[in-house]
Amino acid sequence: MERLNKYLARAGVASRRRADLLIQTGRVKVNGSIVKELGVRIDPGNDLIEVDGRQVVEGNQFEYLILNKPAGYLSTVRDPFGRPTVIDLLPPNLPRLYPVGRLDFDTTGLLFFTNDGDLALVLTHPRHLVEKVYQVKVAGAPKDSELKKLERGIILEDGPTAPAKIAIDRIENGNAILIMTIREGRKRQVKRMLKAIGYPVLALHRLAMGPLTLGNLKPGECRRPSESELRELLKLKEQFSPGSVKPV
Ligand code: URA
């Protein structure tokens, strides 16, 4: 037996708090009857659970995974030339997962996977302004005034960039290591922005995306989001995609 709100959260329908709201507002039925009391326990194997009249299907829960992508892998599901893809790095026996956004072949760091299409859309849509944090090694050491240009936004061939945040972390052998935060996710955006001010990128590593951080995952390792990370993800989904609060 499992608490109804916990079950709904586990099934990816809503965060636990939001699940409570769904229950209290009469949107959840157990075996055909509306259940409004919090704390009701259900048997996921035997009870029929519906939200807004649609069945929550057991065994079809959403899956979420964070990978520390090594260099030398494509962020696609399949490559016609047979090159290694990030899918090769995922553990077996998972449902089919898709990378949320892309990292270049040589870029390393946080890549998030899910089969929750609504969440993927929320995380990648430029309007939703999910922050991506990168550690960037460039050739040379840009001046603060040069970085300010990127912070304000510059013109690339596909249009102006939104404001970014950039700090110099350290200088190593004359090359700067920067921490750069952007909200957009255009193709090769970080590399193109730095090249535009005259500092080609030597190495690029993503540290964070929205509420997700890499933590101490080694290259090639993956983990499921923590409870608090998952809570934040579901909050984002509910905030920007309220229509997606539905059974899976
Ligand atoms: N920006 C880039 O230029 N490349 C990446 O892989 C990610 C962001």
Side-chain angles (χ1 to χ4, degrees):
M1 299 293 276
E2 183 174 8
R3 279 175 70 106
L4 182 55
N5 61 354
K6 190 171 172 207
Y7 170 77
L8 292 174
R10 199 167 53 78
V13 172
S15 64
R16 231 184 272 187
R17 197 178 305 159
R18 172 86 188 178
D20 283 344
L21 208 63
L22 292 175
I23 295 166
Q24 284 171 314
T25 51
R27 291 170 62 183
V28 183
K29 280 186 189 168
V30 177
N31 299 326
S33 307
I34 291 176
V35 167
K36 284 193 176 179
E37 312 91 73
L38 298 176
V40 161
R41 287 175 175 275
I42 53 115
D43 176 355
N46 285 313
D47 291 330
L48 169 68
I49 315 299
E50 292 165 279
V51 177
D52 293 339
R54 291 171 62 185
Q55 187 179 354
V56 178
V57 182
E58 257 281 71
N60 187 23
Q61 278 99 351
F62 290 136
E63 186 65 73
Y64 310 95
L65 215 55
I66 298 165
L67 169 75
N68 184 353
K69 176 191 173 298
Y73 287 83
L74 291 169
S75 296
T76 48
V77 173
R78 221 171 297 109
D79 179 49
F81 302 105
R83 288 171 293 181
T85 80
V86 288
I87 300 296
D88 301 335
L89 297 164
L90 303 185
N93 306 323
L94 286 179
R96 184 182 289 263
L97 298 181
Y98 301 90
V100 177
R102 288 187 178 189
L103 292 177
D104 298 333
F105 190 70
D106 58 348
T107 299
T108 58
L110 191 150
L111 192 60
F112 178 58
F113 292 81
T114 187
N115 51 357
D116 179 346
D118 289 318
L119 177 64
L121 210 62
V122 166
L123 290 174
T124 50
H125 200 292
R127 211 178 51 219
H128 301 142
L129 311 175
V130 174
E131 284 190 343
K132 272 86 66 179
V133 184
Y134 295 91
Q135 183 185 59
V136 195
K137 182 174 181 180
V138 295
K143 296 197 231 7
D144 280 342
S145 58
E146 292 173 305
L147 295 180
K148 280 273 173 300
K149 284 190 209 162
L150 293 189
E151 291 201 315
R152 283 192 294 265
I154 55 161
I155 310 283
L156 296 177
E157 70 262 23
D158 52 355
T161 62
K165 284 186 260 175
I166 310 184
I168 299 181
D169 183 43
R170 58 187 191 276
I171 308 284
E172 270 179 13
N173 305 321
N175 295 325
I177 315 284
L178 312 170
I179 303 294
M180 180 162 167
T181 304
I182 60 171
R183 291 174 180 272
E184 299 165 292
R186 294 192 235 160
K187 211 165 183 226
R188 304 184 69 252
Q189 181 163 350
V190 172
K191 291 175 185 168
R192 288 192 291 135
M193 287 173 75
L194 282 150
K195 187 154 179 246
I197 61 159
Y199 295 89
V201 169
L202 301 176
L204 184 58
H205 181 68
R206 184 153 67 191
L207 297 168
M209 179 163 129
L212 306 174
T213 56
L214 205 48
N216 46 17
L217 277 182
K218 296 191 180 65
E221 281 183 356
C222 52
R223 67 172 174 89
R224 292 202 167 94
S226 66
E227 272 214 17
S228 68
E229 287 174 322
L230 195 55
R231 202 164 40 240
E232 293 303 315
L233 286 175
L234 291 176
K235 248 195 241 168
L236 274 174
K237 177 167 139 173
E238 285 158 18
Q239 185 182 352
F240 292 114
S241 185
S244 72
V245 178
K246 62 180 183 239
V248 286

